[in-house]
Amino acid sequence: MIDTEDRFTPADDDLHRPGDDFYETETFWYSFFVPERDLGGWLYASVRGTLGSTGGGMWIWDRTATDPWSGPFFEQFAHLKPPVPRGPGALAFPPGLSVRTLRPGMSYDLRYEDRDRVQVRFRFDAVEEPVPLRRGEPPYPKASHYDQTGRITGHILLDGERIDVDCHAMRDRSWGPRHERGYRRVGYTWAASPDLSLLTYTAPSGTGPERVYSGYVRRDGRLARIVDGRREVERHPTENWVTAISLEVRDELGRVTTGHAEGTSRLFLPGATSLCLCTCLRWTVDGRSLYGEDQDVWPIKEWPRPSAAS
């Protein structure tokens, strides 16, 4: 159930006027995957409004590699020019992404051109309204942040190969201050299908079960926030990446949703002081088969390092 005062508006498809904070940031994120190839990917743009610069790009991974430079495609910029408005709800980002609103808050035409190897033509059609993360909740306590699942259809042309895409996946949209230091561990796990959306936030600490403190479930035609839950993560014994996840959550309607996912492919996405390990997931949720992703965020200083003995 979405609080009326926090509803996404048509104006939120455009850039917001930046405040005085040096770190004011807007993000546009669309995920996609091709299950039969264990292929996952992001379209991403990050706009520093106060500074007047744009970062982001596109990356694709599959089962062949975990390092960004060894995967099918990776391109991430840090300091390009600001995006160019192309009309209401239409933006062209210098990294190569363009977003055009077809239906405010719900449907978008997405394109990406890298001038060399890749061309993307996608359409995103939402299956629910954008769902706000409640203000004050980590990992974005001072920013507006919305999550939304929908159907991605279209294709990628990569090095001359056409890859058709037809999946249900997650997008998010945020604006507010975002710093490059001070990251804490975050578990951001989702699953999506025509009939079910599942998103959980956790704040991992050490090992063992984690409490799900936020997120939402859409099932049986009704969307409700998660009020409590438990997430258990299995990891590779030496590489530390996520191999499986088990979940049980309870929402505001009293419904209990359980699921188990196996990791099928992954990508290490490094930042300045943190890294995000993106893992494609093959889910079984209450007996239904569907797909999703886990974003396993770590401060780099906390990532386990190999022992000298090994």
Side-chain angles (χ1 to χ4, degrees):
M1 293 170 280
I2 300 174
D3 301 326
T4 302
E5 64 271 19
D6 287 333
R7 285 188 184 274
F8 196 89
T9 70
D12 294 326
D13 283 323
D14 290 306
L15 292 171
H16 298 80
R17 183 183 297 277
D20 297 329
D21 195 312
F22 180 85
Y23 296 103
E24 199 78 16
T25 307
E26 293 215 34
T27 65
F28 299 74
W29 170 63
Y30 292 85
S31 62
F32 59 90
F33 55 91
V34 181
E36 60 270 23
R37 298 173 61 144
D38 293 334
L39 180 149
W42 288 18
L43 298 172
Y44 184 73
S46 174
V47 181
R48 297 278 193 175
T50 307
L51 295 178
S53 67
T54 302
M58 173 181 169
W59 33 96
I60 301 173
W61 68 90
D62 60 16
R63 65 179 79 96
T64 62
T66 59
D67 298 324
W69 50 84
S70 299
F73 184 83
F74 184 84
E75 189 171 69
Q76 179 171 206
F77 294 93
H79 301 294
L80 297 182
K81 293 179 180 181
V84 178
R86 300 294 191 193
L91 293 164
F93 301 89
L97 174 67
S98 67
V99 178
R100 181 169 60 91
T101 301
L102 303 176
R103 181 182 168 203
M106 298 297 287
S107 295
Y108 302 90
D109 178 88
L110 308 172
R111 304 191 176 206
Y112 193 88
E113 303 266 2
D114 81 322
R115 309 180 186 180
D116 184 19
R117 297 179 53 205
V118 74
Q119 182 186 85
V120 171
R121 298 289 185 268
F122 286 163
R123 176 176 170 131
F124 176 93
D125 291 295
V127 295
E128 66 213 13
E129 290 186 52
V131 182
L133 182 69
R134 283 181 169 146
R135 294 184 183 276
E137 288 189 340
Y140 309 109
K142 296 182 179 180
S144 298
H145 180 97
Y146 292 80
D147 299 286
Q148 183 181 40
T149 56
R151 184 182 181 188
I152 292 269
T153 53
H155 68 270
I156 303 164
L157 291 177
L158 176 62
D159 296 330
E161 178 191 7
R162 179 184 171 110
I163 303 171
D164 290 320
V165 177
D166 188 346
C167 66
H168 281 76
M170 180 73 73
R171 82 165 183 128
D172 76 15
R173 179 83 173 85
S174 73
W175 55 94
R178 187 177 292 204
H179 297 250
E180 291 188 283
R181 289 191 175 96
Y183 272 83
R184 295 180 291 175
R185 286 185 60 189
V186 177
Y188 178 92
T189 304
W190 59 267
S193 75
D195 304 316
L196 187 143
S197 301
L198 171 64
L199 170 66
T200 66
Y201 287 91
T202 63
S205 175
T207 60
E210 304 160 12
R211 177 178 173 266
V212 177
Y213 67 82
S214 188
Y216 68 93
V217 176
R218 175 185 56 87
R219 53 184 285 195
D220 306 321
R222 302 182 71 185
L223 187 148
R225 293 183 183 274
I226 290 170
V227 296
D228 199 10
R230 173 187 174 105
R231 185 181 89 137
E232 295 189 57
V233 178
E234 299 174 39
R235 296 183 178 273
H236 190 281
T238 58
E239 303 293 346
N240 197 48
W241 58 51
V242 173
T243 59
I245 294 175
S246 296
L247 278 174
E248 181 175 289
V249 298
R250 180 170 56 86
D251 64 35
E252 291 174 318
L253 299 176
R255 303 174 301 186
V256 175
T257 303
T258 60
H260 179 80
E262 299 288 335
T264 63
S265 64
R266 52 198 52 82
L267 173 76
F268 283 98
L269 182 61
T273 63
S274 64
L275 64 83
C276 178
L277 179 55
C278 310
T279 302
C280 284
L281 299 174
R282 184 177 290 115
W283 281 96
T284 301
V285 179
D286 290 343
R288 315 178 203 190
S289 297
L290 60 162
Y291 296 90
E293 183 188 342
D294 178 69
Q295 295 177 26
D296 187 28
V297 179
W298 288 72
I300 291 176
K301 64 183 180 181
E302 295 182 24
W303 181 258
R305 301 175 63 188
S307 65
S310 63

